[in-house]
Amino acid sequence: MKHLIGFITKNLLRMVLLLLCVAIVTFALISISPIDPLSANVGQTALGSLSAEQIAKLEEYWGVGQPPVTRFVAWAKDFIRGDMGVSLLYRQNVSAIIGERLKNSLLLMTLAWLLSGILGFLLGIIAGARKGSLADKLIQGYCLTISSTPVFWLALILLLIFAVWLKWVPIGLSVPIGVEAADVTFLDRLRHAILPALTLSITGIANICLHTREKLIDVMNSDYVLFAKARGDKTGRIVRRHGIRNILLPAITLQFASISEIFGGSILVEQVFSYPGLGQAAVTAGLGSDVPLLLAITIISAAIVFAGNFTANVLYGVIDPRMRKGVKR
Amino acid sequence: MMNRRRRTLLLLLFAIIFLSAITIAGAMLEERATLTDFTQKNLPPDRTHLFGTDFMGRDMFARTISGLSLSIRIGLLTALISTLIAFLLGTAAATLGKGVDATISWLIDLTMGIPHILLLILISFAVGKGFMGVLIGITLSHWMSLARIIRSEVMQLQHSGYIRVAEKLGVRKALIVQRHMLPHLMPQLMIGFVLLFPHAILHEASITFLGFGLSPEQPAIGIILAESMRYLTMGYWWLAALPGLMLIITVLLFNLAGKALVKLNNPASAHL
Amino acid sequence: MPLLKVENLSISFRQYTKAFQQTALIVVRALDLSINPGEMVAIVGSSGSGKSLLAHAILGILPYNASMAGRLYYDDKPLDKKRVETLRGKEIVLVPQGITYLDPLMKAGRQIHNGQRGKAAHQKTLSILSRYGLDEKTAERYPFELSGGMARRVLISSAVYSEPRLVIADEPTPGLHIQAARRVLGHFREMAEKDAGVLLITHDLELARQTCDRIVVFYAGYTIEEALARDFDQVETLRHPYTRALWQAMPQNRFSAEDGRQPAAHINPEGCIYAPRCKDASDLCRQSIPYQPLRGGYVRCIRKEHYDT
């Protein structure tokens, strides 16, 4: 037990430190940018609609004229308190934008994460248990092709087929136009999330499927499976008794660690489907030099990715008996 | 006799020839790719325009092939630099002691913590859009996995007998790396380099598609597909479908070539 | 009537010899063997000589790139793929080498009763464990919590759980100290005394001599001699020059190891496989050599009368 708490604390600490470093690096990248966010935004499009008072407030928040380190410390202090600043493009609190968009993105990503995880695992088992069979070749071919396919192209094609030609699903937006946000039901949200989630799942399968296949082949070539065969067990029973037992944990771990890829994919997919999630906001913020928003999105997404990695590590420590009982693997 | 190894080798050769052909043809078609003809707008594929034409009457086949050529050339450059970074950092992590190792593995975790596309957006924001932005972005976001592989390879090599002997004899570290390790690492680097291509090409297309990469004047695949999106609702399917398919074939060939190299390099496949 | 009869068995692998050329690598050639109920037979050969494959061939679990030819009989009826599938794990069991044959993530008890549910299965597991001197906590242990000797006894427990008639033990002793190894082989002797047939595959001639009834000597893919265990009491009763050399090399004898080494299995000179190292080799040894009966055993030597003392 003591061993476990130490293990979790260590991982947690590492995660927080990494997050801090991400913040510093992101801040540094934005600081060296030749684009001045204030003049880029306030100076042009938004200037007319912003009062002098608001501009002064923005300048004060953004610490114009101060050295980067001071600016970073000031920004970080506010950020930790929950004040992520004001979006230059949306002219709303960044925290409010992120709250709304994160909800949309999480729905999308959770659907895709679960769907791709389950399907990928099952396909990987089928391919690995019957290595060299037609099913294996088809599954491998699918994985290789899909991992060579740009996710945004797949999104375009699905949009073309299901929204333009068949008109089964709406072309964009996570809520129907003209309906009050409060009246939007969960079902409406789901309907609009289906196609983007499907796109992400189709591409997300490849990784987990190939990994599961490899691991299962390793298991099927192991001595203990040979012994199970010698004891008269059939392939199906061997897969259920020894295969899944030995590959489920690595597969779940990988799926947690692959949140970064699903997040990256969601940026592209949200853009194609004009789905109002974090990814689309990131693109808008990047193109429109909305620095506070871009910063906040980077930190939040890194936090989600690190939380995934953290979960993966801890799962191993808690579930695997070799780790649980403190044996070095 | 047509066994698996021969087939693998043939596949590898085919991939190399096909990809070189596209690269050269694309460079030659670059002029035609930007040629506009407003009498020939938005034509579906036919015999004169294999892939149809776009809203400015440009030939989509020429645009696609020169886009792919551009992608391959950028992929080549970025994969090369990424491999170099991976080699340097991987070897440094393995040979220069605990502190360096920890720093580099920290750097890897850090870079992997930000989703790829987001990192590319940030770098493009930091250094500006266009060719340089894409080059720096793709290079800086693709070295991590290979660096990890190189690190563990070098660590294994260090424990092997003859390198220990060389160390005892007082041979300089740099010389050991060059004389004894590099020959062993070459296959790994080669495979890593080829397998970096697909990622580099796909990410270049993605970032350009989002508007952070190459400029709209260039016939890049990302630009072509971004433009096609505006005409999707009108049913101009060829603008998106055909260039995308060609991109998939290109990337697939790189993936297959990488797999073929892995297979040929792997002694465990002796009984395939 | 023998329980198991192996006739003219050979096992080969497909492999690349040059970069792009595949050939068949023959690992076991023309192997003859029989085991009676209540009998313990050892097949002795040096490590890595492919004798484990014999166990896999009998059980029908050779890897996909291996193939076998020859005839197998169990209870006087042909033992084909279909029949062995119904028998293995029940009447015919394998006792594998060591801990890697246990699922690392499954508790020992479940691996012994192989997933049978219910109290009876649990009770039987515990009683078998106690027979081999293991307490009931062992059933709740994961393989990484077992010592090498414990793991071997767990593997034996899993084999006897189904009350088999034929036990094939594949190198069950390496890594054990001499007492533990003797105890493990003693367990196999007990099975033979309960009328099961035991085939022990081992590289340890001395242990085989002490515990088995008959010994088959395996050399570079061939069985070269079959002898009774007591034939090893003195060198004169042995039938083949290689076996005699082995006898000489045993610790209690003169310990004189012989020169040369076993030829690789794919080198197949016409004629006697041992001739290159045999001090009595002559031109006669270049023809192909039959496996012939001699003094209650068998020998693969053209000059057998030479050793017919």
Side-chain angles (χ1 to χ4, degrees):
Chain A
M1 208 50 206
K2 208 174 160 193
H3 160 80
L4 202 66
I5 291 170
F7 176 74
I8 291 178
T9 318
K10 215 177 105 191
N11 267 293
L12 209 59
L13 207 68
R14 187 176 166 80
M15 184 172 107
V16 172
L17 273 175
L18 270 170
L19 211 52
L20 182 69
C21 285
V22 168
I24 293 173
V25 168
T26 313
F27 204 90
L29 277 175
I30 284 175
S31 300
I32 59 167
S33 171
I35 309 163
D36 173 16
L38 270 188
S39 60
N41 273 285
V42 183
Q44 291 160 14
T45 44
L47 185 65
S49 54
L50 277 178
S51 65
E53 198 185 335
Q54 279 173 309
I55 293 175
K57 218 175 133 192
L58 275 175
E59 279 186 341
E60 190 207 314
Y61 177 82
W62 200 233
V64 172
Q66 280 170 351
V69 177
T70 324
R71 282 200 330 233
F72 176 74
V73 172
W75 171 83
K77 263 188 195 159
D78 286 346
F79 194 91
I80 290 167
R81 270 190 275 124
D83 176 9
M84 305 180 184
V86 178
S87 159
L88 301 171
L89 284 173
Y90 295 88
R91 267 171 269 135
Q92 273 181 45
N93 276 334
V94 169
S95 49
I97 301 172
I98 289 201
E100 178 59 31
R101 301 237 161 193
L102 189 61
K103 221 164 53 190
N104 292 336
S105 280
L106 280 183
L107 174 69
L108 174 64
M109 288 196 288
T110 314
L111 277 178
W113 189 78
L114 287 174
L115 208 61
S116 65
I118 294 168
L119 276 177
F121 188 66
L122 288 178
L123 288 177
I125 285 181
I126 293 170
R130 305 236 178 275
K131 187 187 170 210
S133 67
L134 183 68
D136 178 29
K137 279 177 187 147
L138 287 177
I139 291 171
Q140 273 201 85
Y142 168 80
C143 289
L144 202 63
T145 311
I146 216 69
S147 58
S148 307
T149 306
V151 59
F152 61 91
W153 181 79
L154 188 69
L156 281 176
I157 296 302
L158 289 182
L159 193 68
L160 187 68
I161 294 172
F162 291 104
V164 178
W165 287 347
L166 298 173
K167 298 194 170 54
W168 286 359
V169 286
I171 288 198
L173 301 175
S174 81
V175 293
I177 299 161
V179 179
E180 282 294 310
D183 296 337
V184 179
T185 59
F186 182 71
L187 228 72
D188 278 329
R189 284 181 191 280
L190 209 59
R191 209 163 93 86
H192 288 257
I194 284 177
L195 214 46
L198 194 67
T199 315
L200 278 182
S201 308
I202 289 175
T203 48
I205 285 174
N207 204 5
I208 183 82
C209 175
L210 287 177
H211 172 269
T212 303
R213 177 181 177 275
E214 292 294 313
K215 287 276 172 203
L216 187 61
I217 288 173
D218 284 350
V219 170
M220 295 310 272
N221 286 333
S222 71
D223 287 344
Y224 55 89
V225 163
L226 188 71
F227 185 43
K229 280 185 204 157
R231 298 184 81 180
D233 289 354
K234 301 273 185 298
T235 308
R237 182 176 149 88
I238 291 175
V239 169
R240 267 177 283 128
R241 230 171 110 75
H242 301 290
I244 292 177
R245 178 185 302 267
N246 279 280
I247 59 177
L248 187 59
L249 190 55
I252 293 177
T253 308
L254 180 80
Q255 193 64 357
F256 270 107
S258 70
I259 288 178
S260 169
E261 270 149 64
I262 289 196
F263 200 103
S266 81
I267 295 178
L268 290 155
V269 169
E270 286 180 6
Q271 185 68 7
V272 173
F273 290 104
S274 9
Y275 184 89
L278 271 189
Q280 200 206 23
V283 175
T284 314
L287 289 175
S289 309
D290 191 342
V291 168
L293 187 57
L294 191 58
L295 259 174
I297 291 175
T298 311
I299 308 295
I300 296 293
S301 62
I304 294 174
V305 169
F306 288 139
N309 292 345
F310 170 73
T311 314
N313 283 339
V314 170
L315 267 182
Y316 242 114
V318 175
I319 295 180
D320 192 312
R322 288 165 293 195
M323 295 281 278
R324 193 175 58 218
K325 301 196 178 179
V327 179
K328 287 257 183 238
R329 275 159 48 86
Chain B
M1 205 177 104
M2 198 65 181
N3 55 35
R4 283 220 198 156
R5 277 201 194 177
R6 271 174 211 264
R7 245 184 295 162
T8 308
L9 197 71
L10 274 179
L11 178 78
L12 196 61
L13 275 175
F14 174 73
I16 292 170
I17 292 169
F18 184 86
L19 294 171
S20 328
I22 283 192
T23 314
I24 297 166
M28 276 157 43
L29 283 172
E30 222 150 76
E31 210 173 310
R32 238 192 110 192
T34 49
L35 206 65
T36 57
D37 181 353
F38 287 95
T39 62
Q40 307 272 306
K41 283 197 303 188
N42 296 326
L43 295 176
D46 63 14
R47 235 175 294 161
T48 42
H49 300 289
L50 278 177
F51 285 14
T53 60
D54 69 356
F55 67 104
M56 290 166 86
R58 293 176 292 196
D59 179 53
M60 288 311 288
F61 182 74
R63 283 180 75 69
T64 302
I65 300 297
S66 34
L68 287 177
S69 172
L70 194 62
S71 286
I72 294 173
R73 280 176 283 159
I74 291 181
L76 193 72
L77 200 58
T78 48
L80 205 65
I81 305 174
S82 279
T83 310
L84 198 69
I85 296 179
F87 169 68
L88 289 177
L89 290 187
T91 325
T95 52
L96 298 183
K98 269 206 171 138
V100 178
D101 189 15
T103 314
I104 289 173
S105 97
W106 186 259
L107 210 59
I108 291 175
D109 284 354
L110 186 67
T111 326
M112 282 183 145
I114 307 173
H116 260 61
I117 300 286
L118 202 52
L119 184 61
L120 287 171
I121 291 179
L122 282 171
I123 293 177
S124 151
F125 188 80
V127 301
K129 291 170 197 169
F131 182 75
M132 272 320 271
V134 170
L135 193 70
I136 296 175
I138 307 273
T139 308
L140 289 185
S141 55
H142 282 76
W143 53 273
M144 294 87 75
S145 332
L146 185 59
R148 274 195 184 150
I149 295 170
I150 297 295
R151 173 182 171 273
S152 67
E153 284 281 315
V154 173
M155 281 194 161
Q156 267 183 19
L157 279 175
Q158 274 179 317
H159 290 292
S160 65
Y162 65 100
I163 283 179
R164 283 193 172 168
V165 170
E167 266 169 6
K168 285 240 170 74
L169 289 173
V171 181
R172 278 207 340 272
K173 258 185 187 155
L175 203 66
I176 292 180
V177 169
Q178 187 204 335
R179 283 258 178 86
H180 300 291
M181 290 190 178
L182 211 51
H184 283 270
L185 292 176
M186 264 335 258
Q188 283 296 346
L189 284 171
M190 193 62 210
I191 290 166
F193 169 70
V194 173
L195 286 178
L196 266 174
F197 260 95
H199 290 276
I201 290 177
L202 287 181
H203 278 120
E204 180 268 308
S206 301
I207 197 74
T208 304
F209 175 78
L210 289 177
F212 293 93
L214 302 176
S215 72
E217 294 85 53
Q218 279 168 304
I221 290 284
I223 298 289
I224 292 173
L225 291 176
E227 281 174 355
S228 82
M229 214 171 121
R230 275 182 270 152
Y231 296 88
L232 214 58
T233 45
M234 296 178 192
Y236 298 163
W237 57 272
W238 59 91
L239 293 178
L242 298 177
L245 275 178
M246 286 304 287
L247 179 62
I248 293 176
I249 292 173
T250 306
V251 176
L252 194 60
L253 275 176
F254 274 113
N255 267 324
L256 287 173
K259 267 186 80 151
L261 277 179
V262 173
K263 246 191 216 166
L264 289 175
N265 183 47
N266 183 6
S269 70
H271 52 254
L272 272 176
Chain C
M1 185 181 78
L3 185 63
L4 176 78
K5 202 161 173 228
V6 179
E7 275 180 16
N8 199 21
L9 179 81
S10 59
I11 304 170
S12 60
F13 276 94
R14 271 174 296 132
Q15 205 171 44
Y16 283 95
T17 42
K18 286 184 193 147
F20 296 104
Q21 257 177 30
Q22 266 180 327
T23 44
L25 174 71
I26 303 172
V27 191
V28 175
R29 291 164 195 272
L31 186 138
D32 291 314
L33 186 74
S34 70
I35 299 165
N36 297 308
E39 192 185 28
M40 193 162 163
V41 177
I43 180 149
V44 177
S46 60
S47 308
S49 60
K51 49 196 193 314
S52 291
L53 288 168
L54 171 64
H56 300 165
I58 294 171
L59 287 157
I61 52 169
L62 284 173
Y64 70 99
N65 58 330
S67 53
M68 57 181 270
R71 288 171 301 278
L72 297 172
Y73 299 93
Y74 178 77
D75 261 351
D76 244 11
K77 280 180 289 233
L79 186 64
D80 55 18
K81 204 166 168 51
K82 237 179 145 172
R83 185 152 174 251
V84 77
E85 272 174 19
T86 64
L87 290 173
R88 66 185 177 212
K90 299 181 188 74
E91 286 192 24
I92 307 177
V93 299
L94 173 74
V95 178
Q97 291 179 20
I99 200 153
T100 56
Y101 288 81
L102 291 171
D103 186 329
L105 294 181
M106 195 187 279
K107 288 177 182 168
R110 292 197 56 185
Q111 309 208 44
I112 292 170
H113 60 65
N114 202 12
Q116 288 190 14
R117 281 169 217 281
K119 221 174 166 157
H122 185 64
Q123 280 306 323
K124 190 171 173 187
T125 304
L126 293 188
S127 83
I128 291 172
L129 279 174
S130 74
R131 195 193 304 169
Y132 296 121
L134 297 169
D135 59 14
E136 50 193 72
K137 268 183 270 167
T138 313
E140 296 302 312
R141 289 209 165 108
Y142 287 98
F144 72 91
E145 298 170 294
L146 301 172
S147 71
M150 284 164 88
R152 289 231 171 56
R153 280 178 281 165
V154 166
L155 287 167
I156 293 173
S157 304
S158 70
V160 298
Y161 187 88
S162 65
E163 288 151 25
R165 292 177 60 208
L166 175 63
V167 179
I168 302 168
D170 182 13
E171 295 274 19
T173 55
L176 296 184
H177 58 83
I178 184 71
Q179 273 108 351
R182 281 217 185 93
R183 197 164 61 222
V184 164
L185 288 186
H187 295 320
F188 289 112
R189 192 74 244 177
E190 287 161 24
M191 294 177 209
E193 265 145 33
K194 286 182 187 153
D195 221 30
V198 178
L199 174 63
L200 173 70
I201 295 170
T202 181
H203 69 281
D204 193 328
L205 180 60
E206 177 57 21
L207 271 177
R209 196 184 66 84
Q210 288 172 11
T211 47
C212 294
D213 302 305
R214 267 187 300 135
I215 292 171
V216 174
V217 181
F218 190 75
Y219 178 84
Y222 286 95
T223 47
I224 54 155
E225 174 166 354
E226 183 181 318
L228 297 176
R230 63 164 185 272
D231 291 343
F232 281 84
D233 290 347
Q234 57 209 29
V235 74
E236 289 76 20
T237 40
L238 295 172
R239 297 161 185 79
H240 194 280
Y242 174 66
T243 322
R244 290 191 172 193
L246 275 185
W247 188 92
Q248 308 277 8
M250 287 194 327
Q252 65 271 42
N253 304 322
R254 267 158 300 164
F255 234 139
S256 65
E258 58 172 338
D259 299 332
R261 43 193 294 236
Q262 283 194 29
H266 56 88
I267 297 168
N268 178 28
E270 282 291 301
C272 178
I273 192 79
Y274 186 65
R277 291 164 76 187
C278 183
K279 56 184 187 303
D280 296 321
S282 74
D283 279 353
L284 281 174
C285 301
R286 290 198 187 153
Q287 57 187 299
S288 74
I289 317 286
Y291 196 44
Q292 301 165 12
L294 179 69
R295 277 184 281 114
Y298 281 87
V299 68
R300 195 185 297 278
C301 181
I302 201 80
R303 290 162 65 86
K304 65 185 168 79
E305 57 289 342
H306 194 81
Y307 299 98
D308 202 353
T309 43

